[in-house]
Amino acid sequence: MAQPTLAVVGATGSVGTVMLELLSSRRNVWGEIRLLATARSAGKQLSCRGEQLTVRELTPEAFDGVDVAMFDVPDDVSREWAPIATARGVTVVDNSAAFRMEPDVPLVVPEVNKDALRDRPRNIVANANCTVMAMMMAIAPLHREYGLRELVLASYQAASGAGQVGVDTLHDQLSKVAGDRSLGSRPGNVRQAVGDDLGPFPAPLALNVVPWSGALEPLGWSSEELKLRNESRKILELQALKVSATCVRVPVVTGHSIAVHAVFGSEVTADGARQALRGAPGVILVDDPEAGEFPMPIDAVGTDPSWVGRIRRAMDDPRALDLFVTGDNMRKGAALNTLQIAELIAAEKK
C-alpha cells in the first residue's frame, strides 16, 4: 500500500521550519509531502528529506489527495481552514489553540494519552500548549504513581514562544544594552536604553523578567495561565484538578521552564519520584545539585525530551513534591508532538 500523503500548513513559519527538520531526521513514513502557506510565501523553495520542495498556496484544492495535515498557523486560520481540509477527507493535527478545549476534539500527548486519538469525530486532533507539554511529560508518570490532586506552577517562558518576532526583539534589545554596566541599577534606565522596541512583549525583556504571557482573561488571569489549568485537566482526565499558575516571560531564546509544586493523593518521596521519572518516555533526569547539574533551557534546546530535576519532597506536606522542568518549546512543545500524532495516524492508515 502507498505511503500516506502529508501536508504541512504554515511550512515557512518558525515551527514549520522545525517540522521540516524533524521530517528529515525521523523514520520516513510518508509518501508525498506538500508544503502549504499564504500566497505571499508560495513559490519559495524549502529543503525536506534531502529534496527541494516548492511551497504551494493554501487553497481548498491543495488538500486533494492528502491523508494527514499538520497545521501551524494562527488560531483564526486554523478555525477557517481545518474544516475545509477535513471536508476533503484529511485528518488535521492542529498546533494552535483553536480546538484544544472543544469536547469533540482530542487533546493528545502520545506518551500520556495516546488512546484519546481513537475518538476524533471531527477528524481534528489538537496539540497541547508548549508549556503544558513540557510539564505534562514529567507530571503524567507521577500522577500514575501517586494520584495528582493539585498543581501550583510558575513558568519561565522563552522569547520564541512569541514567534520569530519575539526572538528578534530579544536579540535587538540585548545588543542595545550590551556594554553599559550601569543598566539595571537605576529605575527607568533599561526602559530608556531599549526604547520603544518592545515587540510582542509589554515591557523590555533584556535584563528583565515580565510576569505576563498571553491575553488578558477575566479576574486578572492570562490566557497562558488558563491553558495550563484547562489543558492539564483535559489531558489527564482530571476535571476537578486544582491548578494555579503564574506565567513569566524571561530573556531566554528557546526553552520553556516550569517550577512545579504538585500535591498528590498519597505520600511521596523524592527517590520514588526519581524512580518513576527515570523510566518515563520522553523524560531525562538531570538532578545533581551537588555537581551543579539542573534542567536548564541552554542544555535542553534542540533536544526532544523534557528535562526534570530539583526534585524535593515538600517540607510541610508529605504528599507534595517540588520539581523543575524545562523543554524545547519549538520541538516537543510544538513540532515534534504534532509530528508524533501524525505518525500514529499514518500507522492507522496502513
Side-chain angles (χ1 to χ4, degrees):
M1 196 174 164
Q3 288 180 306
T5 296
L6 175 72
V8 181
V9 183
T12 54
S14 50
V15 172
T17 304
V18 180
M19 284 176 175
L20 299 192
E21 284 173 23
L22 290 168
L23 281 165
S24 302
S25 62
R26 289 172 71 79
R27 191 171 66 85
N28 187 26
V29 300
W30 305 103
E32 182 194 348
I33 292 179
R34 284 185 207 170
L35 309 185
L36 307 179
T38 58
R40 198 177 61 242
S41 298
K44 272 189 185 171
Q45 296 271 305
L46 296 176
S47 178
C48 182
R49 299 191 299 183
E51 52 184 318
Q52 291 295 112
L53 300 179
T54 303
V55 177
R56 301 192 197 182
E57 184 181 351
L58 178 60
T59 64
E61 295 71 34
F63 291 108
D64 288 344
V66 170
D67 297 289
V68 183
M70 302 194 299
F71 276 53
D72 184 68
V73 289
D75 296 5
D76 55 336
V77 180
S78 278
R79 269 191 282 270
E80 180 186 351
W81 283 93
I84 292 170
T86 57
R88 289 176 179 254
V90 180
T91 302
V92 169
V93 187
D94 182 45
N95 189 40
S96 81
F99 302 103
R100 287 177 191 155
M101 297 315 298
E102 301 274 323
D104 52 359
V105 174
L107 180 64
V108 176
V109 181
E111 294 88 344
V112 178
N113 65 336
K114 185 168 68 173
D115 290 350
L117 257 183
R118 290 189 195 133
D119 185 23
R120 43 175 199 267
R122 289 164 68 179
N123 232 6
I124 299 172
V125 182
N127 203 34
N129 167 271
C130 43
T131 318
V132 174
M133 196 96 65
M135 176 190 71
M136 196 51 59
M137 302 301 291
I139 284 299
L142 295 173
H143 166 55
R144 281 194 285 270
E145 196 71 28
Y146 300 113
L148 184 65
R149 298 286 169 83
E150 187 175 341
L151 290 169
V152 181
L153 309 168
S155 73
Y156 304 80
Q157 293 179 219
S160 59
Q164 189 58 43
V165 64
V167 176
D168 292 342
T169 298
L170 174 58
H171 279 302
D172 290 346
Q173 291 181 0
L174 289 171
S175 63
K176 287 180 180 175
V177 301
D180 185 346
R181 296 191 176 199
S182 70
L183 291 177
S185 58
R186 288 196 311 279
N189 67 0
V190 171
R191 285 185 185 272
Q192 203 169 0
V194 166
D196 296 330
D197 175 25
L198 299 180
F201 311 117
L205 196 55
L207 306 182
N208 194 26
V209 298
V210 182
W212 187 259
S213 182
L216 181 61
E217 298 287 348
L219 304 175
W221 295 97
S222 81
S223 56
E224 288 285 308
E225 290 159 355
L226 295 190
K227 286 172 189 175
L228 279 163
R229 176 176 182 263
N230 298 338
E231 293 183 28
S232 295
R233 287 175 157 197
K234 183 170 177 177
I235 293 163
L236 295 172
E237 297 180 12
L238 292 173
Q239 283 314 308
L241 180 66
K242 293 179 180 177
V243 184
S244 194
T246 302
C247 289
V248 182
R249 193 71 76 177
V250 295
V252 166
V253 173
T254 294
H256 288 351
S257 306
I258 313 100
V260 179
H261 177 80
V263 183
F264 297 92
S266 56
E267 197 166 318
V268 294
T269 65
D271 282 341
R274 285 189 199 98
Q275 202 55 41
L277 290 166
R278 205 168 268 124
V283 170
I284 185 167
L285 204 56
V286 186
D287 195 13
D288 190 351
E290 213 174 312
E293 291 180 2
F294 318 106
M296 294 181 285
I298 55 166
D299 302 317
V301 65
T303 72
D304 292 339
S306 280
W307 295 46
V308 187
R310 294 298 326 278
I311 297 168
R312 299 143 283 156
R313 184 163 89 163
M315 285 187 171
D316 305 311
D317 186 347
R319 299 169 305 119
L321 280 173
D322 289 276
L323 53 132
F324 195 80
V325 186
T326 192
D328 186 321
N329 51 296
M330 308 295 282
R331 288 176 80 90
K332 181 59 181 173
L336 175 63
N337 200 74
T338 309
L339 184 52
Q340 285 175 306
I341 295 169
E343 288 170 351
L344 288 170
I345 296 164
E348 295 173 1
K349 295 183 179 289
K350 284 185 177 170

